[in-house]
Amino acid sequence: MKNLACVVLSPLAWACFACGAWLSLERRLVADDEIRVPNILLIVADDLGFSDLGCYGGEIETPNLDRLAKGGLRLTQFYTTGRCCPSRASLLTGFYPHRVGLGHMTQDIGLPGYRGRVSSHVPLIAERVSKLGYRSFLSGKWHLGTDDPTQHGFEEFYGTLVSAKTFWDPKHFLRMPRGRSAKEYGNGEFYGTDALADHAIDFLTQARETPDQPWFLYLAFNAPHFPLHAPEETIVKYAGRYDIGWDAVRRQRLNRMKDLGIVPRTTELSPRSPHYDWGESNASDNPAWNSLTKERRADLSRRMAIYAAMVDRMDQNVGRVMEYLDEHGQSNNTLIVFTSDNGACAEWDAYGFDIKSGTDNILHRGDLIEQMGAAGSYHSVGSGWANASNTPWRLYKHFNHEGGIAVPFIVHSPRSMTPASGAIDATPSHLIDVVPTLLEAASGGERSPESDLPGVSLLPLLHDAGLERRSLFFEHEGNRAVRSGRWKLVALRGHDWELYDIEADRTERNDVAAEHPQKVRELSKSWDAWARDNAVVPLPHDYQAKYLPVSQTPE
């Protein structure tokens, strides 16, 4: 692309300039061979808790994401749907998940909002930006119920169509379209998180073959979703770090969050969250760390060390991609967004599971502890540590209390946009806002004409401009919520509505539904209307999930 100073304008161009249309052309004509519209890098973690990153108060080493936060904008009230498939549907379509057929998981329950696959009639962000001249690539987790991401606007794909079953076997990862070859790895060289970054960098190299075209890369890590797998050299960094237990970690994280400005100084730590075991309708409380035996604490400390290593390794690979952008002069013209698909995962109790998702747990002792996380192992972190990952909120993935739906969200803007260096913003926002945000960026700052989308662009937050007040809605497995201004109405499956003043009590300790019955009626009616309009209701009686008991639809 020519330097702006070298462009010879035709009479028509001068006429356009005179009538004000030059601004649109100017976005395409920039000095130093830059493309004015930014490249877009969308990074998503899998089951990452609100406070796991260093820049959100965690003790896990995440210097690369911390660097993005330091040079960008952190949102502290960004919300997801509380579960992987629905969140990815919202993230990539811009709609609430039930509206596009993916209100639960990939089982077809036979109801319009629960068909188990994203609707073929709804364009994904890759298809939308391709119409604006972008090339689109995906390295990572798909999990939208269809069997080929390259049929949804992505030019190249490497990753998994479903949730990760192993991080050690390259056969679990696919390359599309058919005929493409994945990178080859020698014996013992393969680790899934590394491989996703390897292929992401390959795709960026491919994009450099067409320098006049901007690119969109969706880098969807499987980490830190179970099974807990990580290289031993990364695990050892955290050996012994979690011997203090989840109660102490929660207190320490909250103190750091206050120091960073992630939460107000007045924030109180929520009590230990209950957990719901596989197939159980009634909750059990997470135990105090000091009530556990020495052997159990050793087992659980190792689980959290592996989890931390997975987050650490993901951050290292984010750093590799950032380094590639630096080396090739693309950092200043790339919009980078980072988030998680939901809060940390509690499945299914405080001890975690082994072998497969379910009720099996193995108490690892002695030499067996050192084998945890290696090839052939299979573990989850459990509800006690998930509660710590979601500090200071209540509950976890699956639920619509803050621990399930509140996640980190980092925006690092390119040089062509006004930077928000190190800013922290508490504006409530949602995954439905990501598509409008990326479309506005891809359109050179013009507001998207996609009036059918329910979300809004978050780019004004980069300028500290704020957003108009609105209501945000949630439902998963009968758990449901609406957030409107200072108020949040939320309920567990089959239970009555609870009401919280989020400005004063975001840890949801003090239910004020009895004191404000009119507000409960108002917000519940708005939730009912949203649910009707978005194919949320009728709620399924049977979600066809063994872990979830069949029950009556909540009122």
Side-chain angles (χ1 to χ4, degrees):
M1 186 173 289
K2 297 179 180 179
N3 186 295
L4 181 59
C6 298
V7 175
V8 178
L9 299 179
S10 67
L12 177 60
W14 282 113
C16 290
F17 178 79
C19 71
W22 172 249
L23 291 176
S24 177
L25 180 60
E26 183 184 23
R27 294 188 180 98
R28 306 291 175 176
L29 302 173
V30 190
D32 302 326
D33 293 329
E34 282 190 9
I35 304 171
R36 171 66 74 177
V37 292
N39 301 312
I40 299 172
L41 173 59
L42 174 60
I43 309 172
V44 178
D46 197 347
D47 291 3
L48 181 79
F50 184 85
S51 64
D52 281 329
L53 303 181
C55 55
Y56 276 82
E59 69 293 324
I60 303 173
E61 297 177 26
T62 55
N64 296 294
L65 289 167
D66 295 349
R67 178 161 69 93
L68 286 178
K70 185 177 180 180
L73 172 70
R74 276 168 288 178
L75 303 186
T76 59
Q77 296 194 47
F78 183 83
Y79 292 111
T80 72
T81 73
R83 194 72 180 281
C84 45
C85 290
S87 285
R88 292 162 200 279
S90 282
L91 177 74
L92 296 181
T93 67
F95 289 96
Y96 285 107
H98 309 74
R99 183 73 176 272
V100 297
L102 205 50
H104 189 234
M105 298 294 283
T106 53
Q107 304 95 328
D108 186 349
I109 302 176
L111 296 171
Y114 305 88
R115 301 316 303 258
R117 56 193 291 124
V118 68
S119 172
S120 60
H121 302 296
V122 180
L124 270 61
I125 181 62
E127 296 169 280
R128 291 183 186 270
V129 297
S130 69
K131 295 179 180 179
L132 299 173
Y134 279 70
R135 299 183 66 181
S136 295
F137 308 91
L138 165 54
S139 183
K141 179 176 176 178
W142 178 239
H143 219 186
L144 291 183
T146 59
D147 57 8
D148 188 351
T150 65
Q151 298 301 308
H152 296 270
F154 290 100
E155 183 178 330
E156 306 284 350
F157 167 73
Y158 175 82
T160 60
L161 297 179
V162 295
S163 189
K165 293 180 172 58
T166 177
F167 287 78
W168 296 119
D169 186 356
K171 295 179 182 177
H172 180 59
F173 294 77
L174 307 175
R175 183 75 169 86
M176 292 180 178
R178 292 183 182 275
R180 297 288 201 272
S181 297
K183 294 178 73 71
E184 295 185 0
Y185 296 87
N187 187 34
E189 293 181 349
F190 182 86
Y191 179 63
T193 302
D194 296 347
L196 295 182
D198 290 341
H199 286 81
I201 290 170
D202 282 352
F203 295 158
L204 292 177
T205 300
Q206 189 172 339
R208 290 179 56 232
E209 297 172 358
T210 53
D212 289 339
Q213 284 186 271
W215 50 259
F216 166 57
L217 172 62
Y218 176 35
L219 178 53
F221 288 106
N222 300 99
H225 191 290
F226 63 80
L228 299 177
H229 287 162
E232 183 62 27
E233 66 267 22
T234 312
I235 298 174
V236 296
K237 293 173 61 176
Y238 299 94
R241 186 172 298 193
Y242 295 102
D243 291 351
I244 61 174
W246 47 63
D247 294 321
V249 167
R250 293 182 74 214
R251 292 192 297 267
Q252 292 174 0
R253 286 194 179 192
L254 179 56
N255 288 335
R256 284 193 295 269
M257 295 169 83
K258 291 177 179 180
D259 291 341
L260 289 169
I262 299 298
V263 297
R265 285 283 177 186
T266 56
T267 301
E268 297 182 16
L269 189 64
S270 62
R272 292 186 207 96
S273 285
H275 59 82
Y276 291 80
D277 292 349
W278 178 283
E280 295 293 329
S281 298
N282 297 320
S284 301
D285 291 331
N286 280 323
W289 180 259
N290 289 336
S291 71
L292 304 175
T293 67
K294 182 178 180 180
E295 288 182 328
R296 180 61 69 183
R297 293 198 300 266
D299 172 286
L300 288 167
S301 178
R302 174 71 176 191
R303 290 174 191 261
M304 187 59 187
I306 303 169
Y307 176 94
M310 295 174 76
V311 176
D312 185 313
R313 194 75 169 212
M314 177 185 68
D315 181 82
Q316 292 180 42
N317 280 288
V318 170
R320 292 176 57 214
V321 175
M322 292 167 58
E323 183 179 7
Y324 182 92
L325 298 179
D326 289 341
E327 289 176 353
H328 295 282
Q330 296 185 324
S331 296
N332 289 331
N333 195 44
T334 300
L335 174 66
I336 303 176
V337 174
F338 174 88
T339 191
S340 176
D341 59 354
N342 43 249
C345 178
E347 299 170 9
W348 296 100
D349 64 17
Y351 296 164
F353 60 75
D354 298 284
I355 305 173
K356 62 181 179 180
S357 181
T359 58
D360 292 327
N361 172 265
I362 298 171
L363 176 56
H364 298 80
R365 302 178 175 92
D367 293 342
L368 288 179
I369 288 182
E370 301 304 317
Q371 298 173 24
M372 297 174 73
S377 67
Y378 200 102
H379 322 283
S380 78
V381 73
S383 58
W385 285 123
N387 196 185
S389 287
N390 292 332
T391 299
W393 316 131
R394 283 179 60 188
L395 296 176
Y396 342 79
K397 173 183 177 179
H398 291 265
F399 302 98
N400 292 163
H401 287 72
E402 294 292 283
I405 57 177
V407 297
F409 190 90
I410 302 169
V411 184
H412 190 278
S413 59
R415 189 168 62 188
S416 58
M417 299 179 183
T418 301
S421 184
I424 296 174
D425 193 291
T427 302
S429 48
H430 190 282
L431 282 170
I432 59 172
D433 300 328
V434 173
V435 167
T437 301
L438 301 188
L439 285 178
E440 182 174 337
S443 301
E446 297 177 356
R447 292 299 176 93
S448 169
E450 307 288 348
S451 59
D452 58 327
L453 294 174
V456 300
S457 171
L458 302 178
L459 293 185
L461 299 182
L462 294 173
H463 305 270
D464 198 26
L467 302 176
E468 292 185 6
R469 177 175 169 173
R470 59 197 167 127
S471 295
L472 300 172
F473 298 91
F474 310 85
E475 189 283 330
H476 186 68
E477 296 180 342
N479 304 301
R480 55 212 188 277
V482 54
R483 173 74 196 274
S484 182
R486 67 186 295 178
W487 299 106
K488 181 180 177 184
L489 194 69
V490 60
L492 295 171
R493 184 182 189 220
H495 289 251
D496 294 336
W497 288 110
E498 305 163 11
L499 181 67
Y500 298 98
D501 180 349
I502 292 296
E503 289 184 1
D505 178 29
R506 195 176 168 201
T507 51
E508 300 169 316
R509 295 168 58 95
N510 183 28
D511 178 8
V512 295
E515 292 97 308
H516 299 277
Q518 180 58 38
K519 182 58 68 174
V520 173
R521 286 192 291 270
E522 172 193 331
L523 293 179
S524 64
K525 286 183 179 179
S526 70
W527 188 92
D528 290 341
W530 169 79
R532 289 191 300 270
D533 292 344
N534 286 273
V536 178
V537 291
L539 292 172
H541 292 270
D542 182 1
Y543 286 89
Q544 300 178 17
K546 293 180 180 179
Y547 60 82
L548 195 65
V550 176
S551 67
Q552 293 185 351
T553 303
E555 296 180 0

